[in-house]
Amino acid sequence: MKIIAMIPARYAASRFPAKLMQDLGGKPVIQRTYEVVAQMQLFDEVYVVTDSDIISDVISKAGGSVIMSVEEHDCGSDRIAEAVANMDIDIVVNVQGDEPFIDKASLASVLDVFKDDFNKEIDLASVMVPITKKEEIENPNTVKVIVNNENFALYFSRSPIPYPRDAEAGAVYYKHRGIYAFRKSALMDFQRLPMRLLEATEKIEAIRYLEYGKKIKMVETDVVGIEIDTPEDLERAQEAWK
């Protein structure tokens, strides 16, 4: 089974433009993320896929592998699908470029899903983290996921799910971390299938897979990490990196 990692990297992020080129301990964020993933030795190959010459130059000078996007893309899955279309691979892992604190255990856990899936029934694997703070549960920038009793995703939302109509019922809330492992076939399906109402409403690409009947296995972890979405996140990351 050939497994690769893809790190989609846009320069013009809407909430924090050029965040991937911000300094983190003497190197740009995107270079830190690439080096961390490459050093894990979980993958046959690791690539950064980008539309930016600036990001491409940084990774190339660091000795990394870069694929330049040909088309414009609205999401990371589309960008990766274009990049792997002609590759002979089985599993693609999407690591967000703004996660230089990504941990090896979380990536290994999503890969184990496919190693144990002998009938190839699972299309994707992803990661969820329990959350308890009210402000995080209610924050629309925090994507939540609910699962069935076998930890297959039922739905993703920016709203609090489940809604706590009975606060004493003991609901557990999970944050969806942006780590995906795809079968190549599921990723190529994503690229050709049009966006539907729920994905368009929530602006969460994982919903498209559910709307078309794909099976997403969620793996629970307690490693939260630091995603760099805002200047405040970058400050926390710089402190943590020290």
Side-chain angles (χ1 to χ4, degrees), residues 183-199:
R183 291 198 186 279
K184 182 185 175 182
S185 57
L187 187 59
M188 301 316 296
D189 284 346
F190 180 93
Q191 185 184 41
R192 67 177 179 79
L193 294 170
M195 183 185 300
R196 301 185 70 181
L197 178 63
L198 293 176
E199 180 193 1

Side-chain angles (χ1 to χ4, degrees), residues 2 81 83-92 114 123 181-190:
K2 186 170 183 179
V84 304
N86 297 316
M87 291 185 178
D88 184 15
I89 55 173
D90 300 292
I91 304 296
V92 187
F114 296 99
D123 300 292
F182 314 88
R183 291 198 186 279
K184 182 185 175 182
S185 57
L187 187 59
M188 301 316 296
D189 284 346
F190 180 93

Side-chain angles (χ1 to χ4, degrees), residues 32-223:
R32 288 295 188 191
T33 302
Y34 176 86
E35 290 176 348
V36 166
V37 175
Q39 289 165 7
M40 289 178 181
Q41 298 185 323
L42 291 174
F43 307 102
D44 295 296
E45 296 167 359
V46 179
Y47 298 93
V48 170
V49 54
T50 184
D51 57 359
S52 166
D53 290 331
I54 296 172
I55 291 174
S56 177
D57 288 345
V58 164
I59 299 301
S60 296
K61 288 177 181 176
S65 299
V66 182
I67 297 175
M68 291 295 294
S69 297
V70 176
E71 301 177 12
E72 291 291 329
H73 298 290
D74 293 327
C75 66
S77 289
D78 283 331
R79 191 177 302 281
I80 293 173
E82 179 197 293
V84 304
N86 297 316
M87 291 185 178
D88 184 15
I89 55 173
D90 300 292
I91 304 296
V92 187
V93 178
N94 176 353
V95 178
Q96 302 298 319
D98 59 5
E99 286 210 38
F101 294 90
I102 188 72
D103 62 295
K104 184 175 181 178
S106 293
L107 291 176
S109 66
V110 296
L111 295 178
D112 287 343
V113 167
F114 296 99
K115 293 173 182 177
D116 297 334
D117 183 29
F118 302 110
N119 296 323
K120 297 183 177 180
E121 296 175 338
I122 298 171
D123 300 292
L124 292 81
S126 194
V127 177
M128 61 184 185
V129 182
I131 54 176
T132 56
K133 294 181 179 179
K134 184 174 183 289
E135 59 269 26
E136 188 169 18
I137 293 169
E138 294 179 350
N139 186 345
N141 292 324
T142 299
V143 175
K144 276 72 67 176
V145 59
I146 49 175
V147 296
N148 68 9
N149 64 338
E150 295 180 332
N151 278 355
F152 283 101
L154 296 173
Y155 192 61
F156 300 85
S157 182
R158 298 183 182 279
S159 298
I161 51 172
Y163 179 80
R165 183 175 180 180
D166 182 353
E168 304 301 320
V172 178
Y173 291 85
Y174 291 100
K175 174 183 178 179
H176 178 220
R177 288 186 64 194
I179 303 168
Y180 294 97
F182 314 88
R183 291 198 186 279
K184 182 185 175 182
S185 57
L187 187 59
M188 301 316 296
D189 284 346
F190 180 93
Q191 185 184 41
R192 67 177 179 79
L193 294 170
M195 183 185 300
R196 301 185 70 181
L197 178 63
L198 293 176
E199 180 193 1
T201 302
E202 294 262 19
K203 295 294 185 284
I204 300 171
E205 64 188 76
I207 293 175
R208 189 183 312 182
Y209 293 98
L210 295 180
E211 288 189 277
Y212 286 101
K214 303 296 186 184
K215 297 182 71 174
I216 305 177
K217 182 77 169 184
M218 301 301 299
V219 177
E220 183 176 345
T221 178
D222 59 0
V223 179

